[in-house]
Amino acid sequence: FKMALELNGTTGVSLVQDGVVTAADFASGAITSAALPTGSVLQVVQGEYSAEQDTTSSSFVTTGLTATITPSSTSSKIYIQVALASSGAYENNNSGATAIYRVFDGTSTVVQTAHRVNDYGNNGVFTFSNHALNYLHSPSTTNAITYRVDHKLSEGDSSRVFNDSGGGSKGTITLMEIAG
């Protein structure tokens, strides 16, 4: 017995039990997210930002990179993937440049990381670098959450550019709701 399946956002399948889907399940309606096993990806949302964002601040400023997701259950987890590129100029010879990046959920810092680029004695020279950040967040809500990426300077930087236009970079944030 073969059956074609179409999932287009307005149709679905229901009554998944014990991980076995039958023809009757398809005929009866939609599979709800509650019927999927733990660890299933329930939805994926992506945000991107390609405009240049400069900062000389030692306090967090937004990069413009955001994405919003509405979990279907309080037990869901949100897997966050961030990919970005930046460059930095340095104040001192033989110093390093460090940018601090964080994912902020509107209330608190979800995860924070530092990215360091070595100067090797080229005072004032911009060095480009790519960064990735991955984190599994447990927000315990069914309210919409807007995650945003912020950055600030630390240790040796005189300026930091997110999405430097000379490099043609584009930052992305991908959010995946994982069934809990």
Side-chain angles (χ1 to χ4, degrees):
F1 175 77
K2 292 184 181 181
M3 181 185 330
L5 171 64
E6 178 183 333
L7 294 177
N8 63 18
T10 58
T11 64
V13 189
S14 66
L15 302 174
V16 175
Q17 297 175 7
D18 301 325
V20 177
V21 180
T22 67
D25 296 334
F26 288 101
S28 66
I31 289 182
T32 64
S33 60
L36 294 172
T38 299
S40 296
V41 176
L42 304 179
Q43 62 174 314
V44 178
V45 176
Q46 186 174 61
E48 58 183 45
Y49 191 77
S50 58
E52 187 174 291
Q53 175 63 250
D54 300 346
T55 188
T56 56
S57 176
S58 59
S59 298
F60 280 112
V61 275
T62 184
T63 62
L65 182 57
T66 66
T68 301
I69 193 166
T70 304
S72 60
S73 169
T74 57
S75 64
S76 291
K77 297 184 182 342
I78 306 300
Y79 184 64
I80 304 165
Q81 292 180 316
V82 177
L84 53 92
S86 65
S87 62
Y90 317 112
E91 294 175 345
N92 305 308
N93 283 329
N94 298 316
S95 69
T98 302
I100 309 295
Y101 292 96
R102 75 172 179 181
V103 174
F104 189 73
D105 68 2
T107 304
S108 60
T109 297
V110 174
V111 63
Q112 178 175 308
T113 186
H115 296 280
R116 183 174 177 83
V117 179
N118 291 322
D119 183 358
Y120 301 112
N122 296 318
N123 191 36
V125 172
F126 275 84
T127 302
F128 296 89
S129 57
N130 293 309
H131 313 293
L133 187 142
N134 300 292
Y135 188 75
L136 188 61
H137 186 219
S138 299
S140 299
T141 186
T142 56
N143 296 329
I145 308 163
T146 298
Y147 293 95
R148 76 171 196 235
V149 179
D150 299 334
H151 67 152
K152 70 178 181 177
L153 302 180
S154 175
E155 192 180 343
D157 281 324
S158 59
S159 65
R160 174 64 67 166
V161 179
F162 169 78
N163 279 346
D164 187 286
S165 60
S169 37
K170 179 185 291 186
T172 60
I173 180 169
T174 305
L175 308 174
M176 290 181 261
E177 181 183 1
I178 308 298

